[in-house]
Amino acid sequence: RAKGQGRDRTIVAPPGLPRQQSGRRCVAVSPGSSDSAATSIVRTGARQELASLPNRDQFTQRLDRALVTSRKSGWTTAVLCAEVDDFKLINDTFGNDVADELLTAIGQRLSRLLRPGDTLARTGRDEFAILGESAADSSWLYTLVPRIDGAMTEAFVLSGVSIRTTMSVGIAVADNYDSPAMSTDELMREADDSRYHARSARRSAVRLADSAT
């Protein structure tokens, strides 16, 4: 609903979405502003920064190499697939330009959480993936996951709006004791499936392949 120019505006879930899944997922406050040259520059920069992230093909190529290395070294390799909750609602409400700025800001926050050598990629319109390699075990995941949730807590201040949203995360791990060794396609499929189940269970959820958190 909108309460006048410059007043708080809350995005509500479209009809048919279960009430418990709408909740706090996407809240926006609009101070009221007009497009300007500065705004156009920001939006152009957002598109360029998004384009600079590895895509899904480049990500899977890096995962190929990481799995080969892990088999030789005995390290653990993990893939996290994350999806922005209710992104279509945000895009339909504010348009592609603001949506691109939001994705860029999310990418920036996620990149600050990575360890040296980790890879962040944009694998879909509203999807990101993180490749973690060269770890002795998967314990680092249990510190990364709450940090991702924490990174989404603060509102994203964009061109004229402040947006709060969450992410659903799926995780798949290839341990050094897996036999037979997992392939790139299998690991990606497990992470994608886990993300899908996390999103279906509830927004702002995390699911580890073969278990749930």
Side-chain angles (χ1 to χ4, degrees):
R1 62 180 180 274
K3 297 183 179 180
Q5 183 70 21
R7 301 286 296 280
D8 285 1
R9 179 169 54 182
T10 300
I11 303 174
V12 297
L17 185 66
R19 192 176 186 86
Q20 66 270 23
Q21 291 188 3
S22 59
R24 62 177 180 84
R25 298 313 161 203
C26 177
V27 178
V29 179
S30 175
S33 62
S34 59
D35 283 339
S36 64
T39 299
S40 297
I41 291 172
V42 168
R43 290 174 174 173
T44 298
R47 287 191 292 269
Q48 291 173 341
E49 186 162 346
L50 278 177
S52 70
L53 288 175
N55 58 29
R56 190 178 185 90
D57 288 341
Q58 293 168 325
F59 184 83
T60 56
Q61 289 171 8
R62 296 186 187 188
L63 178 55
D64 278 335
R65 295 193 293 269
L67 287 174
V68 170
T69 300
S70 69
R71 289 171 197 137
K72 295 177 180 178
S73 64
W75 293 117
T76 291
T77 300
V79 172
L80 293 83
C81 289
E83 177 180 358
V84 182
D85 294 327
D86 295 324
F87 181 77
K88 184 178 185 301
L89 180 60
I90 297 170
N91 191 85
D92 290 347
T93 303
F94 295 107
N96 290 332
D97 288 336
V98 170
D100 282 347
E101 287 184 57
L102 174 63
L103 292 172
T104 300
I106 290 174
Q108 291 170 342
R109 291 190 187 181
L110 291 177
S111 67
R112 291 196 287 267
L113 305 179
L114 303 185
R115 305 169 306 157
D118 288 346
T119 298
L120 173 67
R122 185 184 177 210
T123 53
R125 173 65 175 138
D126 59 343
E127 298 169 9
F128 295 87
I130 295 174
L131 168 61
E133 51 184 307
S134 301
D137 54 45
S138 58
S139 60
W140 65 276
L141 286 172
Y142 300 101
T143 61
L144 176 60
V145 168
R147 291 174 66 203
I148 291 176
D149 192 44
M152 299 296 291
T153 301
E154 184 180 352
F156 293 89
V157 181
L158 309 171
S159 298
V161 294
S162 177
I163 297 177
R164 294 183 185 274
T165 188
T166 53
M167 300 191 86
S168 296
V169 179
I171 302 169
V173 179
D175 285 310
N176 49 30
Y177 53 78
D178 283 336
S179 181
M182 292 185 68
S183 69
T184 295
D185 288 344
E186 289 171 333
L187 198 60
M188 288 296 296
R189 184 168 58 251
E190 284 199 1
D192 278 331
D193 287 348
S194 297
R195 173 186 52 80
Y196 172 79
H197 288 301
R199 184 190 65 193
S200 300
R202 60 183 176 85
R203 298 298 196 266
S204 188
V206 177
R207 187 178 180 94
L208 182 64
D210 295 326
S211 66
T213 60

